[in-house]
Amino acid sequence: MATSKTGKQSKKPQTVQPGRVSFLDGQGELPMVEVTTAWSRAEIYIHGAHVTQFKKNDEPPLLFMSQVSRFAEGQPIRGGIPVIFPWFGMREAMGQHGFARIKAWDLKEFAAAQDGSVSVRFKLPDYPEASSFPPFTAEYVVTVNEKLKLELLVTNMSGEEPLVFENCLHTYFEVGDINTVSIRGLKGASYLDKVANFAKKTEKNDAIQINSEVDRIYLNTTGPVEVLDPKLKRKIRVEKNGSTSTVVWNPWIARAQQMPDFGNDEYLRMVCVESGNVSSNQISLRPRETCSLTVTISSAPLKGR
Ligand code: TA6
């Protein structure tokens, strides 16, 4: 460990090995990028620019991946971080959660920084599915170091019309046992309860616990959210910028059984805490403007439990 001038130990390794990027055939023969840094390892599929794993060297994986996920063109991957764009939820005749998660993205560049971080930048090619929107570009930058940083940049290329869209980084976290997990940071927020036909409710709890199906859109929420996991003795922290919605989801028993690409018992090992701008928080971007959604995910030991 490095020692600073004040004599305090800093966590940063003194000599950081430069990061590494490898191109591999992933599951279903879909191409993927493996990123290795001094602190961590990550996997990103070209399909959906989908981060399927981030694992710090001395920790269990941070992201949940279903053992029965599909890995196929035109199908979403179950787990990791699906990029939901340009709409969230079901749109008649257009499907669920946008098309960005089921399309191949262009890998534009990767960069290894002096501090040991590695960034990979993707761009969404022009797909016919985008034709019902004004022209836009979407880029996605994944930065791997001791943390995982995700940035989705959307530019309205139209000179006249606003670009109205939703976005969401639909992050699946791995937990030891959902029955013991609590989620902090949403007290006082209004939410739409999808399980109760989108009834509008207010979060009363400091610590949200999950013991049945939970599917909620917390509106106007910009602060950090923490997932406390006593079984894995880990605290996950989600910090964000350019996001006013937080979605919390666990399908629980019956819904898990209905999903062909999700194991019957896998609801016990996951929770989604998603950052984005959805429902009444959708974005209306002025002509020629760019907006950024940034999410930084970190973890630390959960002490005193
Ligand atoms: O973000 C929560 C949610 O919208 C839920 O309603 C649930 O259906 C989930 O996403 C997964 O959606 P998917 O299309 O991936 O099955």
Side-chain angles (χ1 to χ4, degrees), residues 126-170:
D126 290 334
Y127 283 112
E129 287 82 349
S131 62
S132 55
F133 291 83
F136 64 80
T137 62
E139 296 200 333
Y140 187 49
V141 184
V142 179
T143 302
V144 183
N145 47 47
E146 197 181 8
K147 301 179 180 180
L148 178 66
K149 184 177 165 201
L150 312 152
E151 183 171 23
L152 180 64
L153 292 147
V154 177
T155 303
N156 182 359
M157 300 301 284
S158 162
E160 293 123 43
E161 284 177 274
L163 173 69
V164 179
F165 66 95
E166 295 168 288
N167 59 11
C168 189
L169 300 178
H170 193 302

Side-chain angles (χ1 to χ4, degrees), residues 76 78 88-89 96-97 101 170 172 194 215 247 249 255 259 274:
R78 177 72 68 198
F88 179 89
Q96 164 116 323
H97 286 342
R101 67 173 177 167
H170 193 302
Y172 289 74
K194 197 166 165 188
D215 194 350
V247 179
W249 180 55
R255 294 255 306 130
M259 289 190 286
E274 312 165 26

